[in-house]
Amino acid sequence: MSGKPLLSVKDLWVEYEADEAVVHAVNGISFELEEGQTIGLVGETGAGKTTTALSILRLLPANIGFIRRGSIEFEGKNLLELKEGELLSYRGKQISMIFQDPMTSLNPVIPVGDQVAEMFRLHNEEKLPKTEIDQRVDELFELVGIPKVRKSEFPHQFSGGMKQRAVIAIALACRPKLLIADEPTTALDVTIQAQVLDMMDGLKKKFGTAMIMITHDLGVVAETCDIVAVMYAGEIVEMGTVYDIFEGKVHHPYTEGLFGSIPSMDSHEKRLKPIEGLMPDPSSLPSGCKFSPRCPYCQDICKREEPSVRCMGSHSVRCRFVDMEGAV
Amino acid sequence: MSKYILKRLLMMIPVILGMSFFIFVILEKAPGDPARIILGDKAPAEAVEELREEMGLNDPFLVRYINYIGDALRGDFGTSYRTHLPVFEEIMARFPTTLTLALGSIVLTVIIGVPIGVLSAVKQYSILDNATMAGALILASMPGFWLGTMLLLLFASKLHWLPATGAESWKSFILPCVALMASNMAMLVRMTRSNMLEVIRAEYITMARAKGASEKVVIFRHALRNALMPIITIIGMNLSSLLGGTMIIESVFALPGLGTLAITAVRSKDIPLVMAEVIFIALLAGFINLFVDVLYAYIDPRLKSQYVSRKRARRAAR
């Protein structure tokens, strides 16, 4: 790793204020991303992955979600200090986002082509004429594999895979430096998943886009990511290169559990091996290590004190019992 | 689309026929003899009988209904028992007043109500939102006749700013419009607000923000159109009920509209006039409903494709 990072998230804390309780969605996460790199944010539902993504664009739901602490620097500029008006030129233009559910992320009453063209109109610094915008939309449609005759159709006339392609076209329209993909393939069936991932990979290489890939599918991570951050209850419990995570010998007990819960093809097992227990309620997190209630190695000290982060090279694990030289 | 409109127009025929039959039955069964009403209580029985014969009132019920429909189809809705003028003329003389009142209040309701609802949703739980909701509750709880009377007392009899009765100038329409608008506007504001709140939480709105669209573009280009459907439903419903004449408000302000005309017609058992007015109102309501449905299709392409796909399916079947 060398050079200045494109994106640097430092000690980010995000809370949601619900009616009674305060939900601690993200609790002090930090990571860096260089140009052209892909980081995978992995974890269960509710681990704070989407919240992290929305924080970067400052799109947390108004009056409910608050960034309490930390900084998010993009090309050296702290996004959290920008005014709303200044943010607009970052959103979509520099950083764009693919949302979880392509079924609901397109506006049902606007033709798909218009929704793509809107990106050019919103960020039209070059003052492109209408015909030029039309042409660019055509090119984008071709790029993501949608026949351009379907430009004037509405989202409900598109299949799920086609909708996701349209969403990707929108996200890539202005050739952003950073693309946040929030479970881009979860809502798609497996054959389409592979197509979409392939396409995203190709486009990423073509434009040199850095990417944050949010997913709970470890297969997707192995295929697309350079760095992996495993999130649990709003914390990054383990982070490393894709080799550290998939090939490394030392892991956080949670990561072990994640991998352990993938059924193996060679052994004949009757039952799946889930991680026992449930993710803690984010409005009342356990003291000490947040994973302690579910951890098979848990000891008294884990319940009392926060674990420190142990590092070796690019690999870091948030567990006191991990010996980076050997096994747990 | 044009096929759909044609179908809807054809469907109005049985509706109008059924409606007119129903009213005809009610008027038949209602107490009071039109001939007696016309001639007065003191007229001799022979004269009344003669008039009944002349008016065709002694024919069997069905014969009279069919004769009426036959005449109506030829454009002859009969003459009023009371004024002896063709009822069509009577209605047309009154319609402009009602139309002005209805359109005036609807247009104002929409122009004021929709933006307030949108603003209230965008600034949810702010002072403005709370004040708007409280205001809407107050407006909705005031009956139109009461509000009308209060407005009359204040602006006409106390301050003398506006005329109390009649329909001579545009000034005469201000108070009745306001009285009519109050509860409709309260409903529209609440409806707009709740729809906008629902739409604002949709993922495509977050997506629009993520595209770098300003708040104005997000609200007016992406959100409002999606929230518009129920709003249009309400406007359509209000408009058809307002065009039928607003009996109470017209009475309070002594406006010569369709509402007051209907009241006098029913009181004097003026069968041709009542029938014609009911048919006229039914037609208007039918057209407005059709217009609203066509408008839906233009606002929400998902509905438009339903109309079209039915056609395509039929074509494919052939």
Side-chain angles (χ1 to χ4, degrees):
Chain A
M1 290 199 189
S2 61
K4 214 159 166 266
L6 177 75
L7 177 81
S8 149
V9 175
K10 282 195 196 109
D11 195 31
L12 182 71
W13 294 73
V14 183
E15 284 174 2
Y16 290 107
E17 275 179 20
D19 285 338
E20 304 274 288
V22 176
V23 176
H24 304 276
V26 172
N27 306 305
I29 68 164
S30 306
F31 63 88
E32 287 186 350
L33 191 63
E34 281 171 44
E35 268 176 44
Q37 248 182 354
T38 300
I39 187 170
L41 294 184
V42 197
E44 283 165 83
T45 307
K49 297 167 296 185
T50 304
T51 303
T52 308
L54 290 177
S55 305
I56 294 170
L57 283 169
R58 295 221 347 235
L59 284 174
L60 291 170
N63 304 328
I64 303 171
F66 299 96
I67 298 172
R68 291 301 184 200
R69 235 196 305 155
S71 69
I72 297 172
E73 282 183 14
F74 182 81
E75 294 186 314
K77 198 144 198 169
N78 190 350
L79 296 181
L80 302 185
E81 286 165 1
L82 293 181
K83 287 197 197 81
E84 189 70 23
E86 294 173 300
L87 264 176
L88 296 184
S89 60
Y90 281 88
R91 288 183 188 154
K93 173 89 184 157
Q94 311 265 12
I95 308 172
S96 68
M97 182 156 173
I98 297 170
F99 285 86
Q100 204 157 354
D101 187 358
M103 305 299 161
T104 56
S105 48
L106 291 171
N107 195 326
V109 301
I110 302 177
V112 178
D114 258 18
Q115 297 193 46
V116 179
E118 189 181 19
M119 284 301 266
F120 295 115
R121 285 201 302 267
L122 285 170
H123 304 285
N124 198 354
E125 278 96 41
E126 304 153 61
K127 301 264 178 287
L128 296 175
K130 209 179 162 298
T131 49
E132 176 73 6
I133 289 178
D134 275 351
Q135 205 185 329
R136 292 211 179 175
V137 173
D138 287 353
E139 283 167 21
L140 263 177
F141 266 55
E142 201 177 318
L143 199 68
V144 296
I146 309 175
K148 61 183 174 194
V149 288
R150 303 194 62 182
K151 258 197 320 193
S152 55
E153 287 184 17
F154 289 92
H156 70 275
Q157 291 160 300
F158 274 45
S159 68
M162 280 294 175
K163 274 185 208 168
Q164 192 64 306
R165 282 161 195 267
V167 170
I168 292 171
I170 290 172
L172 291 174
C174 296
R175 306 203 174 169
K177 294 192 177 117
L178 174 63
L179 178 63
I180 303 172
D182 187 0
E183 312 211 8
T185 57
T186 309
L188 305 176
D189 48 79
V190 185
T191 45
I192 310 289
Q193 265 187 27
Q195 281 181 21
V196 168
L197 283 178
D198 268 358
M199 189 185 82
M200 284 175 63
D201 207 43
L203 296 173
K204 200 185 82 183
K205 289 202 178 96
K206 192 169 168 190
F207 300 131
T209 313
M211 187 153 84
I212 298 177
M213 172 70 92
I214 296 172
T215 178
H216 49 242
D217 186 337
L218 291 166
V220 171
V221 173
E223 236 172 86
T224 54
C225 299
D226 305 309
I227 315 171
V228 183
V230 181
M231 287 189 74
Y232 184 79
E235 289 177 341
I236 292 179
V237 292
E238 182 168 352
M239 183 154 67
T241 63
V242 73
Y243 300 103
D244 292 331
I245 304 291
F246 282 83
E247 306 283 327
K249 293 207 170 52
V250 191
H251 290 299
H252 189 278
Y254 177 65
T255 319
E256 270 179 19
L258 270 188
F259 279 93
S261 56
I262 302 171
S264 160
M265 293 285 275
D266 338 306
S267 59
H268 294 278
E269 280 160 288
K270 291 251 161 60
R271 291 179 149 270
L272 296 172
K273 281 188 275 177
I275 306 175
E276 294 297 326
L278 290 173
M279 182 118 80
D281 176 4
S283 57
S284 59
L285 290 171
S287 59
C289 171
K290 310 234 175 357
F291 188 59
S292 59
R294 295 171 80 182
C295 181
Y297 312 107
C298 173
Q299 308 214 343
D300 279 349
I301 185 164
C302 300
K303 292 180 182 165
R304 286 196 312 271
E305 285 172 38
E306 289 259 348
S308 55
V309 179
R310 314 227 161 168
C311 303
M312 192 174 84
S314 57
H315 195 183
S316 64
V317 180
R318 195 183 181 91
C319 177
R320 72 182 73 250
F321 295 126
V322 164
D323 177 1
M324 294 309 278
E325 312 292 322
V328 174
Chain B
M1 200 69 202
S2 52
K3 226 175 190 172
Y4 171 79
I5 295 174
L6 189 71
K7 206 168 100 188
R8 286 285 306 266
L9 287 175
L10 289 176
M11 265 161 63
M12 274 164 68
I13 296 172
V15 171
I16 301 288
L17 279 178
M19 179 117 185
S20 61
F21 185 75
F22 186 64
I23 301 297
F24 211 78
V25 170
I26 291 181
L27 289 172
E28 167 74 15
K29 296 295 168 204
D33 178 356
R36 172 62 77 190
I37 292 169
I38 293 168
L39 293 177
D41 286 341
K42 289 186 186 105
E46 299 84 59
V48 173
E49 191 48 41
E50 210 173 290
L51 188 62
R52 281 182 65 84
E53 194 59 44
E54 195 190 312
M55 287 163 73
L57 289 173
N58 288 335
D59 293 343
F61 171 72
L62 270 180
V63 173
R64 268 182 290 139
Y65 177 69
I66 290 166
N67 281 343
Y68 176 80
I69 293 296
D71 287 345
L73 283 178
R74 267 175 259 123
D76 175 15
F77 289 90
T79 50
S80 162
Y81 291 167
R82 205 169 39 88
T83 60
H84 304 289
L85 287 169
V87 290
F88 187 74
E89 275 175 29
E90 288 242 15
I91 289 176
M92 282 307 141
R94 300 291 193 106
F95 187 53
T97 306
T98 296
L99 188 69
T100 315
L101 196 57
L103 284 184
S105 81
I106 278 285
V107 168
L108 282 177
T109 304
V110 173
I111 290 178
I112 302 171
V114 171
I116 290 182
V118 169
L119 207 64
S120 199
V122 172
K123 310 239 177 251
Q124 195 191 5
Y125 301 137
S126 65
I127 298 170
L128 179 108
D129 179 33
N130 290 333
T132 308
M133 285 301 100
L137 187 66
I138 293 170
L139 281 186
S141 350
M142 288 191 294
F145 70 89
W146 180 84
L147 181 62
T149 320
M150 291 302 124
L151 289 172
L152 271 182
L153 280 177
L154 181 63
F155 292 102
S157 57
K158 255 226 153 72
L159 299 171
H160 298 288
W161 288 356
L162 295 163
T165 57
E168 281 77 44
S169 76
W170 61 273
K171 278 185 187 164
S172 324
F173 285 97
I174 293 176
L175 292 182
C177 270
V178 171
L180 270 182
M181 274 164 63
S183 62
N184 285 347
M185 189 153 86
M187 187 159 69
L188 190 68
V189 166
R190 295 183 77 103
M191 198 78 186
T192 310
R193 177 181 178 269
S194 68
N195 278 310
M196 277 303 277
L197 283 176
E198 207 171 288
V199 169
I200 281 175
R201 296 201 183 102
E203 198 162 65
Y204 55 80
I205 295 302
T206 315
M207 169 110 170
R209 292 208 173 95
K211 281 166 132 183
S214 64
E215 201 56 26
K216 214 168 68 191
V217 174
V218 169
I219 297 301
F220 290 104
R221 182 173 147 85
H222 289 271
L224 187 57
R225 219 174 130 188
N226 281 288
L228 224 49
M229 300 287 286
I231 298 172
I232 286 178
T233 312
I234 287 206
I235 295 171
M237 270 160 48
N238 280 345
L239 191 61
S240 35
S241 72
L242 286 177
L243 279 181
T246 47
M247 331 239 158
I248 294 168
I249 294 298
E250 282 177 17
S251 302
V252 169
F253 291 93
L255 282 172
L258 288 181
T260 38
L261 183 66
I263 293 174
T264 13
V266 170
R267 277 204 189 126
S268 55
K269 228 191 160 192
D270 195 342
I271 294 174
L273 190 53
V274 175
M275 287 296 291
E277 224 184 309
V278 168
I279 290 174
F280 182 71
I281 291 168
L283 271 173
L284 272 180
F287 279 118
I288 290 168
N289 278 341
L290 177 59
F291 177 70
V292 166
D293 282 353
V294 172
L295 206 59
Y296 281 162
Y298 277 95
I299 287 173
D300 194 332
R302 283 167 295 188
L303 292 176
K304 192 172 185 174
S305 72
Q306 273 177 20
Y307 302 149
V308 176
S309 65
R310 248 186 254 146
K311 248 198 303 188
R312 268 194 203 147
R314 233 179 288 138
R315 223 178 274 154
R318 270 179 227 154

